[in-house]
Amino acid sequence: MTLQAVEKQFSMLKDKEIIVGITGGIAAYKTADLVRQLTKKGANVHVVMTKNAMEFVTPLTFQTISGNPVIHKMFELFAGSKIGHITLSDIADQLVIVPATANMIGKVANGIADDFLSTMVMATTVPVFFVPSMNTKMWSSKMVQANIEKLKDAGYEFMEPASGDLACGTEGKGRLPAIEEILERMEDIFTSKDLTEETVLVTAGPTMEFIDPVRCITNRSSGKMGYAVAKMAKRRGADVTLITGPATIEFPRNDIDIVHVTTACQMRDAVMEHYKKAGVVIMTAAVADFRCREENCQKIKKKGDSNYMTLELEKNPDIIGELGKVKEQRIIVGFAAETENLLDNAKEKLKKKNLDIIVANDVAKAGIGFGSDNNEVMIIEKSGKAKQVPLLSKEEIANIILDSVKKALKNKKRIKEDWY
Ligand code: PMT
């Protein structure tokens, strides 16, 4: 399987019929990228534009990107004789309106159906997701907010606009959120929520230990594996806290607690502060085992003619080992980054650190592990049972790990119940 196929295989949007409604806002040009990303994920996209949207962007652009005709006329028949808005809403899996103007929100909230898009919203039973973008004052107007509340109460999905510079020259809330964040919410809408009762703590990324103000000891972790675990746990309904070292990627959601740390000691303190409220702890972070014994406040200079320099290192706390001693009923999942004797070394860590599950990662293998979008792991349970997970995206691996966590939680609950 090619790596590109791996990426496409996982998305919940694959093979879905998605209707993208575009209304008349300056952010309409950004919707082209959303349509492109949706088709890349394997969705079949149908674009519906209002008359005002066509003042900003043309149907030709969206027809070219989506590969489907763009609908913008109210009285257009589908496939010769079928009524367009009924046919489309019948085949759709999700309808997303990007950008959603105050006008469109107001129309739907008040039952007005006077163009193709608003008529289709009335006619559909599939999830409808509004992504508003407008001037800050319009966004905060009482009428717009009242309409949004009304629609939320009726079961419509909404995403808050982002803050920043606006096209009208002002600054504030009203910008279209990043396309990646919109896609994440669309995936979320399709995901069944089977972890709603769980609180999950995830560590991710590298740690960084300073040698002097300009040099450090770190590793190649990008944070992708940990972010995927946090993202999938959140999508499945868990309450998630992510403790992350200096990762090279952005987290695509703002509805989880994110704690940023730099050093292993800071990560340890953050874990110890947050683990108590968590029922599940998943430690994907690549923590530096050592830090410099002495802190150098100034840049170290080359001295004399010697070709060598000695750094004295001191052991960092073994965070997961510490956690294993106070874990009580929690499920603790460790990762083992190995370059040899994968299974034996991982099993030893599982036992020594009192873990429930260890995910063994062969970090010497090309195309997986550090920095890659994909991974290939072995999930080893406390019982010794091991499951080989083939090359998949890190998101899919994260879901398989979460399935193992669910099984472990169920077993623990059953054992607890048998006691009483
Ligand atoms: O971030 P990516 O680029 O996506 O890369 C993902 C990954 C390769 C970092 C990830 O899949 C992985 O293998 N993470 C574990 C890295 C690691 O530090 O392995 P380890 O075998 O040294 O540590 C074992 C476990 O102890 C890990 O859960 C680690 O978080 C934890 N640990 C390690 C050292 C330490 N001082 N304290 C710890 O808690």
Side-chain angles (χ1 to χ4, degrees):
M1 199 185 309
T2 65
L3 294 188
Q4 203 181 13
V6 165
E7 194 189 316
K8 201 165 173 179
Q9 181 196 324
F10 173 59
S11 176
M12 298 295 290
L13 294 158
K14 184 173 179 264
D15 297 331
K16 295 287 194 309
E17 301 289 337
I18 305 290
I19 302 173
V20 176
I22 309 175
T23 65
I26 185 67
Y29 77 93
K30 296 183 182 171
T31 313
D33 190 29
L34 177 72
V35 173
R36 198 177 64 85
Q37 300 290 345
L38 284 168
T39 53
K40 261 179 83 179
K41 283 177 179 283
N44 191 19
V45 184
H46 309 270
V47 175
V48 177
M49 293 171 75
T50 63
K51 201 164 160 254
N52 291 338
M54 289 192 297
E55 297 289 331
F56 295 89
V57 283
T58 70
L60 183 64
T61 308
F62 290 93
Q63 181 155 343
T64 311
I65 301 171
S66 69
N68 284 318
V70 171
I71 300 166
H72 50 85
K73 287 193 192 126
M74 175 70 174
F75 300 103
E76 208 160 28
L77 290 176
F78 230 57
S81 62
K82 292 196 174 127
I83 299 170
H85 61 271
I86 305 289
T87 308
L88 251 196
S89 55
D90 277 352
I91 61 159
D93 292 301
Q94 192 182 123
L95 197 166
V96 56
I97 304 178
V98 188
T101 53
N103 180 45
M104 180 54 70
I105 292 167
K107 280 204 287 193
V108 179
N110 292 288
I112 298 168
D114 65 351
D115 61 12
F116 193 98
L117 185 57
S118 53
T119 310
M120 200 171 51
V121 175
M122 303 299 163
T124 192
T125 53
V126 300
V128 179
F129 174 32
F130 288 85
V131 187
S133 171
M134 62 193 76
N135 164 272
T136 305
K137 285 185 189 141
M138 283 175 87
W139 168 253
S140 48
S141 97
K142 283 190 178 150
M143 292 318 293
V144 170
Q145 288 304 317
N147 285 335
I148 291 174
E149 282 315 306
K150 197 169 166 186
L151 289 172
K152 278 185 181 170
D153 285 347
Y156 292 93
E157 300 275 345
F158 268 85
M159 194 163 177
E160 291 270 303
S163 295
D165 292 337
L166 296 168
C168 51
T170 58
E171 214 188 306
K173 203 165 186 176
R175 281 175 69 87
L176 195 78
I179 298 301
E180 203 193 333
E181 290 174 28
I182 300 172
L183 287 165
E184 172 57 23
R185 273 292 295 274
M186 292 179 75
E187 299 254 15
D188 190 307
I189 290 168
F190 284 123
T191 307
S192 62
K193 310 288 175 233
D194 61 345
L195 292 175
T196 43
E197 286 174 14
E198 305 307 330
T199 303
V200 180
L201 176 65
V202 182
T203 67
T207 57
M208 207 179 252
E209 310 294 334
F210 285 95
I211 297 170
D212 65 20
V214 296
R215 304 178 179 101
C216 63
I217 300 170
T218 187
N219 58 66
R220 294 191 294 118
S221 170
S222 60
K224 286 179 184 171
M225 190 65 245
Y227 283 34
V229 171
K231 190 160 84 173
M232 293 301 121
K234 185 65 201 175
R235 261 193 214 168
R236 288 168 69 160
D239 182 357
V240 179
T241 299
L242 171 67
I243 298 173
T244 175
T248 53
I249 50 166
E250 295 276 317
F251 194 75
R253 306 182 62 125
N254 55 16
D255 54 356
I256 71 161
D257 289 332
I258 303 187
V259 182
H260 292 274
V261 297
T262 305
T263 66
C265 288
Q266 289 169 358
M267 185 170 276
R268 183 244 167 229
D269 291 348
V271 168
M272 289 305 151
E273 189 187 325
H274 290 88
Y275 88 91
K276 281 194 180 129
K277 67 164 196 173
V280 177
V281 184
I282 306 178
M283 310 268 289
T284 77
V287 185
D289 285 322
F290 293 92
R291 64 179 180 276
C292 283
R293 193 165 174 197
E294 262 177 41
E295 268 183 41
N296 293 287
C297 301
Q298 303 298 333
K299 187 178 166 198
I300 301 170
K301 299 275 180 211
K302 274 185 258 172
K303 280 186 201 135
D305 294 331
S306 173
N307 283 334
Y308 303 97
M309 177 192 164
T310 306
L311 277 179
E312 203 173 347
L313 301 180
E314 181 179 356
K315 231 180 184 176
N316 265 330
D318 175 2
I319 309 169
I320 208 165
E322 226 175 287
L323 211 53
K325 290 184 188 141
V326 293
K327 74 178 215 181
E328 297 171 343
Q329 290 305 309
R330 287 176 193 87
I331 297 294
I332 302 186
V333 182
F335 268 63
E338 306 293 344
T339 53
E340 57 182 349
N341 302 330
L342 185 68
L343 197 59
D344 289 345
N345 287 344
K347 276 185 173 170
E348 198 186 317
K349 281 180 187 164
L350 174 102
K351 205 168 160 198
K352 201 168 149 200
K353 294 171 194 283
N354 192 20
L355 311 180
D356 298 275
I357 296 167
I358 195 145
V359 182
N361 207 163
D362 181 351
V363 287
K365 203 165 177 176
I368 62 164
F370 287 108
S372 167
D373 288 337
N374 305 302
N375 215 349
E376 187 186 315
V377 299
M378 178 99 79
I379 300 177
I380 308 161
E381 297 174 3
K382 205 177 181 171
S383 63
K385 220 165 143 190
K387 179 166 149 187
Q388 176 70 49
V389 185
L391 181 69
L392 291 169
S393 72
K394 281 185 176 164
E395 294 186 357
E396 199 157 13
I397 300 258
N399 261 334
I400 297 171
I401 294 167
L402 290 169
D403 289 342
S404 297
V405 166
K406 252 186 86 179
K407 193 175 134 197
L409 280 164
K410 221 167 149 186
N411 284 342
K412 205 158 248 190
K413 209 171 151 209
R414 209 179 51 220
I415 291 166
K416 207 175 154 197
E417 277 165 5
D418 287 349
W419 267 84
Y420 298 101

